[in-house]
Amino acid sequence: VQLQASGGGLVQVGGSLRLSCVVSGGTFSSYALGWFRRSPGKEREFVAAISWSGGSTTYEDSVKGRFTISRDNAKNTVYLHMNSLKPEDTAVYYCAASYRTGVTTTGYDYWGQGTQVTVSS
């Protein structure tokens, strides 16, 4: 299973970005999917997750109301829509896939390579 994240870039405070992650190999519709991020000098942290069906989602508190995770099983793609971006959102963002079909913040089996998001003030 391979994950390829894209969509990162430089954006001003208050701006928006949409990250995409294409998953190849395996059965996409059977995976729970998540987004994580790592800021300079910090540990990797959970951002958002979605169940295999897309019916359940969960978010880290600081992104609730600003970020939305979604998936398109026909395109083998998971998205992270980010609005009202803040400087503290600056990080490398990683997508991940889990055999756990329900929404989960841990226990991911496969990881993408990361895409850089930089929010300038």
Side-chain angles (χ1 to χ4, degrees):
V1 177
Q2 293 185 325
L3 292 84
Q4 181 71 43
S6 62
L10 176 64
V11 63
Q12 293 187 331
V13 169
S16 299
L17 280 175
R18 186 185 76 166
L19 305 184
S20 300
C21 177
V22 178
V23 182
S24 58
T27 304
F28 179 82
S29 60
S30 66
Y31 298 124
L33 299 165
W35 287 94
F36 293 75
R37 65 186 180 188
R38 178 177 285 151
S39 303
K42 295 186 177 181
E43 296 291 320
R44 184 176 64 197
E45 66 173 353
F46 167 77
V47 175
I50 189 166
S51 63
W52 70 276
S53 67
S56 296
T57 58
T58 190
Y59 298 90
E60 192 271 329
D61 285 346
S62 70
V63 307
K64 284 180 181 177
R66 300 188 299 123
F67 291 11
T68 302
I69 187 171
S70 64
R71 64 189 294 162
D72 186 336
N73 286 356
K75 295 183 179 180
N76 288 6
T77 302
V78 59
Y79 302 99
L80 186 66
H81 305 259
M82 305 186 295
N83 297 318
S84 303
L85 284 161
K86 305 175 181 180
E88 52 264 42
D89 295 317
T90 295
V92 177
Y93 283 73
Y94 301 88
C95 55
S98 171
Y99 285 117
R100 302 180 185 185
T101 56
V103 66
T104 181
T105 62
T106 62
Y108 282 82
D109 303 287
Y110 302 102
W111 294 84
Q113 87 291 356
T115 184
Q116 175 71 47
V117 172
T118 303
V119 184
S120 65
S121 57

